Amino acid sequence: MYWEVIRLSWRALWERKGRTIGAIIGVVIAFTALSYALLLGQTFKDAVSDYFTKNFQLDSLYVTGAQFTDADVNVLRTIPGVAHAVPIAAARGLAKAPGQQQPVAVTIYGVSPAYAALIIPETALYEGTLALGGGLALVGYYVAFDRSTGERRLDPGAPLTIQMGRRTASVQASAVLASGAVGVLDTLRGVVVDIALFRQLVGSDTYNFVLVRVKDTALLEQVAADIRAYFPSADVISPLAVLQTFESFFTSFQLFLGLIAGVSTVITALWLYDTMSISVVHRTKEIGVMRALGYKRRHIMILFLAEALLIAAMGIALGAAALIPLAHADLPTPGQTSSSLRPAFHPPFAVQSLELNPVIMAAAAALVIAVNLAGAVLPAYRASRINIVAALRYE
């Protein structure tokens, strides 16, 4: 008998096509808006997490805000839990490739060749080899290529003139860095040279920041506290903590968007409540006949709830189809690093499409179904409580 009740529900829907189609459209809008809002927040969250995982060593701390000496670096290396302490010097300068009319402004980094692999993985190279010392340098992407035209200025192995103040030096490019590949350095307009050459150009033996690698991420907070105890004026930045902050923000952002989009779901439920209430009045005699033929109160209630469920199912199916073209629209998401003398923790934006997460879509569908069923419960209950005799006499 239950299948017969569902069949009757389906037929009843199309006896009042106008209201049924209106309710379906409402569900389509509600499901699409809610799903898109939640998927948008999740896409941003996943993009930020992916960016930090790829570009920052999450087992690291960046110690900045002071000029550090070799003695300071040695102190950092003695802190329990520290695996490596890599000092990095940085200064603004100019770089000029052969045949280039005007030099370009760059950030020049001084790094010990022994520690280059700790801050620049092989995956961060666009082309060439990871080699410093002996007049070799790693060149940023927009130093090797013209940003406006895309024209190549130099290849690995080509000479490059760098200048800081009145001092100049000629180096040979050993590699071109990939665009946005490393978080600690500016891979777009940076030039990485041997620390000895850097000191010759700058005339200083201090460092701008120190990359501290810890033995275990569980030790990050303790190591950071120890560093602050030794260097009270220094800033200790944890990429992992920054990532967690971003994730917390985007989770709140996702919930905020979901709440706004959820308003349309509530409106749809109210529309369904109104539709079902009117339907109960119009079908009072039909309900009386069904009860007289042996249908129980639970069958009458299922009849109306099944109508609400069918409307929700059709709306969700159409909404899911509508999400496919929306998912191909370009979105601004974190993707490339910015130029700075210090580590960049505010990623700019590249283009990425929306990710259709089935779990989120299923959750949105479940919520839409639940809210719509909630809107139909009261009319369905009223229909099931109608007196048989009064219903048969109803005109």
Side-chain angles (χ1 to χ4, degrees):
M1 183 171 285
Y2 289 107
W3 284 110
E4 178 65 19
V5 170
I6 294 174
R7 188 184 67 82
L8 290 173
S9 297
W10 176 261
R11 190 176 67 181
L13 286 176
W14 301 112
E15 287 177 354
R16 53 183 198 283
K17 293 181 181 179
R19 285 189 168 272
T20 298
I21 292 173
I24 291 173
I25 292 174
V27 173
V28 170
I29 295 172
F31 173 75
T32 304
L34 181 60
S35 296
Y36 190 85
L38 296 176
L39 290 170
L40 182 64
Q42 189 63 41
T43 297
F44 274 85
K45 186 177 177 180
D46 290 344
V48 170
S49 178
D50 183 65
Y51 172 83
F52 271 84
T53 302
K54 288 181 178 179
N55 295 292
F56 294 92
Q57 297 95 338
L58 298 182
D59 61 347
S60 301
L61 296 168
Y62 297 94
V63 187
T64 69
Q67 294 296 311
F68 300 95
T69 64
D70 287 319
D72 295 331
V73 176
N74 289 331
V75 170
L76 291 172
R77 289 171 179 157
T78 63
I79 294 176
V82 172
H84 301 283
V86 182
I88 302 170
R92 299 292 186 183
L94 299 173
K96 186 177 180 181
Q100 188 177 349
Q101 296 297 321
Q102 296 293 331
V104 294
V106 296
T107 300
I108 300 176
Y109 299 96
V111 177
S112 171
Y115 298 120
L118 288 175
I119 60 173
I120 307 173
E122 291 287 344
T123 54
L125 302 183
Y126 176 75
E127 56 185 356
T129 58
L130 182 60
L132 286 178
L136 298 176
L138 308 176
V139 178
Y141 188 83
Y142 286 143
V143 179
F145 295 89
D146 186 283
R147 182 176 183 180
S148 301
T149 64
E151 179 185 359
R152 180 187 284 271
R153 295 192 181 111
L154 58 82
D155 298 292
L160 179 72
T161 301
I162 56 176
Q163 176 182 349
M164 283 194 283
R166 296 182 178 181
R167 300 180 182 182
T168 62
S170 180
V171 295
Q172 185 180 17
S174 61
V176 175
L177 297 174
S179 173
V182 185
V184 66
L185 302 180
D186 176 13
T187 60
L188 297 178
R189 298 179 186 83
V191 177
V192 186
V193 300
D194 184 354
I195 186 63
L197 175 60
F198 182 91
R199 286 175 173 173
Q200 291 176 15
L201 292 170
V202 177
S204 172
D205 59 357
T206 59
Y207 305 96
N208 299 79
F209 54 95
V210 182
L211 170 65
V212 175
R213 299 286 295 273
V214 300
K215 297 176 181 178
D216 191 325
T217 54
L219 301 173
L220 281 171
E221 290 188 11
Q222 182 57 50
V223 172
D226 290 341
I227 293 173
R228 292 187 182 98
Y230 280 108
F231 303 97
S233 61
D235 297 322
V236 183
I237 305 171
S238 168
L240 181 60
V242 175
L243 171 59
Q244 291 170 346
T245 300
F246 272 113
E247 288 182 337
S248 176
F249 168 77
F250 280 111
T251 297
S252 301
F253 176 66
Q254 186 178 21
L255 292 175
F256 175 71
L257 291 178
L259 287 174
I260 294 176
V263 173
S264 60
T265 305
V266 175
I267 293 174
T268 302
L270 293 174
W271 168 269
L272 195 62
Y273 169 81
D274 181 63
T275 299
M276 289 296 178
S277 297
I278 294 173
S279 179
V280 169
V281 174
H282 289 172
R283 297 163 64 186
T284 299
K285 191 164 188 175
E286 176 187 341
I287 293 169
V289 171
M290 291 180 65
R291 291 295 311 280
L293 291 175
Y295 285 89
K296 305 297 184 183
R297 287 179 174 176
R298 63 177 181 273
H299 295 137
I300 302 301
M301 193 163 186
I302 291 172
L303 176 73
F304 286 90
L305 292 179
E307 290 183 25
L309 183 60
L310 289 170
I311 289 172
M314 287 185 284
I316 290 169
L318 293 173
L323 280 173
I324 295 176
L326 289 175
H328 290 85
D330 289 336
L331 297 173
T333 54
Q336 295 181 338
T337 55
S338 60
S339 176
S340 176
L341 291 177
R342 299 168 65 178
F345 290 96
H346 302 283
F349 291 82
V351 173
Q352 181 176 313
S353 59
L354 190 73
E355 296 178 6
L356 294 179
N357 188 313
V359 175
I360 290 179
M361 294 177 65
L367 180 61
V368 170
I369 290 173
V371 172
N372 278 273
L373 286 177
V377 164
L378 187 56
Y381 177 77
R382 288 173 179 170
S384 68
R385 307 303 296 181
I386 292 177
N387 181 273
I388 300 177
V389 176
L392 291 173
R393 291 177 177 175
Y394 185 83
E395 295 294 339

